[in-house]
PDB file of all heavy atoms in Angstrom:
ATOM      1  N   GLY A  92      70.366 -35.982  18.422  1.00  0.00           N
ATOM      2  CA  GLY A  92      69.015 -35.491  18.564  1.00  0.00           C
ATOM      3  C   GLY A  92      68.902 -34.503  19.700  1.00  0.00           C
ATOM      4  O   GLY A  92      69.897 -34.161  20.367  1.00  0.00           O
ATOM      5  N   PRO A  93      67.708 -33.997  19.979  1.00  0.00           N
ATOM      6  CA  PRO A  93      67.550 -32.943  20.976  1.00  0.00           C
ATOM      7  C   PRO A  93      68.006 -33.333  22.387  1.00  0.00           C
ATOM      8  O   PRO A  93      68.395 -32.461  23.177  1.00  0.00           O
ATOM      9  CB  PRO A  93      66.052 -32.629  20.949  1.00  0.00           C
ATOM     10  CG  PRO A  93      65.415 -33.822  20.304  1.00  0.00           C
ATOM     11  CD  PRO A  93      66.429 -34.345  19.339  1.00  0.00           C
ATOM     12  N   THR A  94      67.980 -34.625  22.710  1.00  0.00           N
ATOM     13  CA  THR A  94      68.469 -35.047  24.026  1.00  0.00           C
ATOM     14  C   THR A  94      69.712 -35.928  23.908  1.00  0.00           C
ATOM     15  O   THR A  94      70.041 -36.675  24.820  1.00  0.00           O
ATOM     16  CB  THR A  94      67.360 -35.800  24.799  1.00  0.00           C
ATOM     17  OG1 THR A  94      66.851 -36.872  24.011  1.00  0.00           O
ATOM     18  CG2 THR A  94      66.208 -34.856  25.148  1.00  0.00           C
ATOM     19  N   GLY A  95      70.387 -35.831  22.756  1.00  0.00           N
ATOM     20  CA  GLY A  95      71.679 -36.508  22.588  1.00  0.00           C
ATOM     21  C   GLY A  95      71.617 -37.827  21.870  1.00  0.00           C
ATOM     22  O   GLY A  95      72.660 -38.361  21.477  1.00  0.00           O
ATOM     23  N   GLN A  96      70.439 -38.405  21.697  1.00  0.00           N
ATOM     24  CA  GLN A  96      70.338 -39.685  21.018  1.00  0.00           C
ATOM     25  C   GLN A  96      70.617 -39.528  19.528  1.00  0.00           C
ATOM     26  O   GLN A  96      70.312 -38.500  18.943  1.00  0.00           O
ATOM     27  CB  GLN A  96      68.930 -40.305  21.241  1.00  0.00           C
ATOM     28  CG  GLN A  96      67.823 -39.723  20.355  1.00  0.00           C
ATOM     29  CD  GLN A  96      67.328 -38.343  20.755  1.00  0.00           C
ATOM     30  OE1 GLN A  96      67.926 -37.656  21.562  1.00  0.00           O
ATOM     31  NE2 GLN A  96      66.223 -37.935  20.150  1.00  0.00           N
ATOM     32  N   PRO A  97      71.251 -40.555  18.887  1.00  0.00           N
ATOM     33  CA  PRO A  97      71.534 -40.419  17.455  1.00  0.00           C
ATOM     34  C   PRO A  97      70.236 -40.328  16.653  1.00  0.00           C
ATOM     35  O   PRO A  97      69.276 -41.071  16.915  1.00  0.00           O
ATOM     36  CB  PRO A  97      72.293 -41.709  17.117  1.00  0.00           C
ATOM     37  CG  PRO A  97      72.791 -42.222  18.430  1.00  0.00           C
ATOM     38  CD  PRO A  97      71.776 -41.808  19.453  1.00  0.00           C
ATOM     39  N   VAL A  98      70.214 -39.425  15.682  1.00  0.00           N
ATOM     40  CA  VAL A  98      69.060 -39.234  14.812  1.00  0.00           C
ATOM     41  C   VAL A  98      69.543 -39.220  13.362  1.00  0.00           C
ATOM     42  O   VAL A  98      70.522 -38.548  13.036  1.00  0.00           O
ATOM     43  CB  VAL A  98      68.352 -37.896  15.134  1.00  0.00           C
ATOM     44  CG1 VAL A  98      67.357 -37.531  14.035  1.00  0.00           C
ATOM     45  CG2 VAL A  98      67.640 -37.960  16.478  1.00  0.00           C
ATOM     46  N   ARG A  99      68.875 -40.009  12.531  1.00  0.00           N
ATOM     47  CA  ARG A  99      69.191 -39.988  11.098  1.00  0.00           C
ATOM     48  C   ARG A  99      68.480 -38.808  10.484  1.00  0.00           C
ATOM     49  O   ARG A  99      67.238 -38.742  10.441  1.00  0.00           O
ATOM     50  CB  ARG A  99      68.737 -41.292  10.443  1.00  0.00           C
ATOM     51  CG  ARG A  99      69.321 -41.499   9.043  1.00  0.00           C
ATOM     52  CD  ARG A  99      70.828 -41.670   9.087  1.00  0.00           C
ATOM     53  NE  ARG A  99      71.387 -41.939   7.745  1.00  0.00           N
ATOM     54  CZ  ARG A  99      72.674 -41.874   7.455  1.00  0.00           C
ATOM     55  NH1 ARG A  99      73.550 -41.529   8.404  1.00  0.00           N
ATOM     56  NH2 ARG A  99      73.111 -42.152   6.245  1.00  0.00           N
ATOM     57  N   SER A 100      69.243 -37.861   9.999  1.00  0.00           N
ATOM     58  CA  SER A 100      68.670 -36.611   9.496  1.00  0.00           C
ATOM     59  C   SER A 100      69.045 -36.461   8.031  1.00  0.00           C
ATOM     60  O   SER A 100      69.703 -37.296   7.441  1.00  0.00           O
ATOM     61  CB  SER A 100      69.227 -35.445  10.318  1.00  0.00           C
ATOM     62  OG  SER A 100      68.690 -34.228   9.861  1.00  0.00           O
ATOM     63  N   SER A 101      68.593 -35.366   7.420  1.00  0.00           N
ATOM     64  CA  SER A 101      68.945 -35.125   6.027  1.00  0.00           C
ATOM     65  C   SER A 101      68.950 -33.635   5.744  1.00  0.00           C
ATOM     66  O   SER A 101      68.275 -32.856   6.410  1.00  0.00           O
ATOM     67  CB  SER A 101      67.987 -35.838   5.074  1.00  0.00           C
ATOM     68  OG  SER A 101      66.666 -35.371   5.225  1.00  0.00           O
TER      69      SER A 101
END
Side-chain angles (χ1 to χ4, degrees):
T94 54
Q96 80 284 13
V98 166
R99 194 65 177 167
S100 181
S101 61

